[in-house]
Amino acid sequence: MAELTALESLIEMGFPRGRAEKALALTGNQGIEAAMDWMLELVAQKQREREEREEREALERERQRRRQGQELSAARQRLQEDEMRRAAEERRREKAEELAARQRVREKIERDKAERAKKYGSSVGSRPSPPAPEPGPVPSSPSQEPPTKREYDQCRIQVRLPDGTSLTQTFRAREQLAAVRLYVELHRGEEPGGGQDPVQLLSGFPRRAFSEADMERPLQELGLVPSAVLIVAKKCPS
């Protein structure tokens, strides 16, 4: 049996013909061992190049991941700042609306008082004044002076809502009960279904339901000064 040539031996070992021919040519046909060393070195070089390329790609992916994380964190921070700014603007708007609503109620109350005074003022002024009572003898009294009644200019009102929560606010003693009702309507929670029933105010003890006429009377006149507890009951609209 004829001896195999170097090329045939390399092909029989499993090397591709083209690579085996190139290896023999580049090594000067010095034999199988030299050609095999060249081909194995070529494989090792390609393996190193592939590993280096994969390492570079991994580093680039890590840089991209960090860059995207920083961009996402900055976008999240901007979003939070925008939400905080919108919330602050919403609180300012609600406070301005509340102040405007209270001012409208006060103006309406003053207009109603002026209209009633204009309507009934002439008839009241035309009534004859009753005769002054004749002075009688001054009764003798002990030297002790009667205690002076303290005047309060503020009133602290606690309002208990139907859901068990409560609202507490300080009003002026001469402020009308309608201001308390307006405060409750502005600050109580939304009723289920989205609607708001009219507010009926009751005194705690003794139990008393305040009428529409009472809404125009000062808190001081209604005996709610210096502090009082009111109860909110749902009022069916007429």
Side-chain angles (χ1 to χ4, degrees), residues 84-102 104 186:
M84 293 175 61
R85 184 168 52 254
R86 286 194 297 268
E89 293 174 354
E90 181 68 16
R91 287 194 297 270
R92 287 194 295 268
R93 183 185 63 80
E94 292 177 352
K95 186 173 183 62
E97 291 179 353
E98 177 183 346
L99 293 176
R102 295 189 66 171
R104 287 194 299 269
L186 291 175

Side-chain angles (χ1 to χ4, degrees), residues 31-210:
I32 296 175
E33 186 176 353
M36 288 179 60
D37 291 342
W38 181 89
M39 286 188 290
L40 293 175
E41 178 63 24
L42 179 63
V43 171
Q45 181 179 355
K46 290 184 177 181
Q47 177 67 23
R48 288 193 299 271
E49 291 176 353
R50 181 169 62 253
E51 292 176 353
E52 292 174 357
R53 183 175 62 256
E54 292 176 351
E55 183 177 358
R56 289 194 301 270
E57 292 175 352
L59 291 175
E60 181 63 24
R61 287 195 298 270
E62 178 64 17
R63 284 195 292 268
Q64 290 180 0
R65 186 189 66 79
R66 293 182 179 181
R67 183 169 56 253
Q68 291 174 356
Q70 293 174 354
E71 294 174 353
L72 180 61
S73 177
R76 187 181 297 111
Q77 183 176 359
R78 289 194 299 270
L79 180 61
Q80 292 177 350
E81 292 174 353
D82 292 341
E83 291 178 351
M84 293 175 61
R85 184 168 52 254
R86 286 194 297 268
E89 293 174 354
E90 181 68 16
R91 287 194 297 270
R92 287 194 295 268
R93 183 185 63 80
E94 292 177 352
K95 186 173 183 62
E97 291 179 353
E98 177 183 346
L99 293 176
R102 295 189 66 171
Q103 182 62 27
R104 287 194 299 269
V105 170
R106 292 193 186 98
E107 292 174 355
K108 183 178 184 304
I109 292 172
E110 293 299 327
R111 286 196 302 270
D112 292 343
K113 289 170 61 177
E115 291 176 359
R116 287 196 299 273
K118 182 178 179 181
K119 181 176 180 181
Y120 300 108
S122 58
S123 60
V124 172
S126 61
R127 294 178 182 175
S129 59
E134 296 181 358
V138 179
S140 60
S141 60
S143 59
Q144 181 181 4
E145 296 182 356
T148 58
K149 185 177 181 181
R150 182 177 176 183
E151 293 292 335
Y152 294 92
D153 58 354
Q154 288 187 341
C155 174
R156 185 174 179 84
I157 300 293
Q158 183 186 83
V159 182
R160 296 178 180 174
L161 303 179
D163 61 0
T165 60
S166 63
L167 300 171
T168 303
Q169 180 67 15
T170 301
F171 299 88
R172 294 193 301 273
R174 297 185 179 276
E175 203 164 358
Q176 297 181 351
L177 185 58
V180 180
R181 181 171 65 180
L182 173 64
Y183 176 82
V184 174
E185 291 174 348
L186 291 175
H187 289 82
R188 64 173 175 166
E190 292 290 338
E191 298 288 344
Q196 287 282 13
D197 294 331
V199 168
Q200 172 70 54
L201 294 178
L202 308 175
S203 62
F205 182 82
R207 184 61 61 91
R208 171 190 174 187
F210 293 102

Side-chain angles (χ1 to χ4, degrees), residues 155 157 205 208 210 217-228:
C155 174
I157 300 293
F205 182 82
R208 171 190 174 187
F210 293 102
R217 297 174 62 187
L219 301 175
Q220 189 175 37
E221 183 179 327
L222 292 171
L224 302 178
V225 176
S227 64

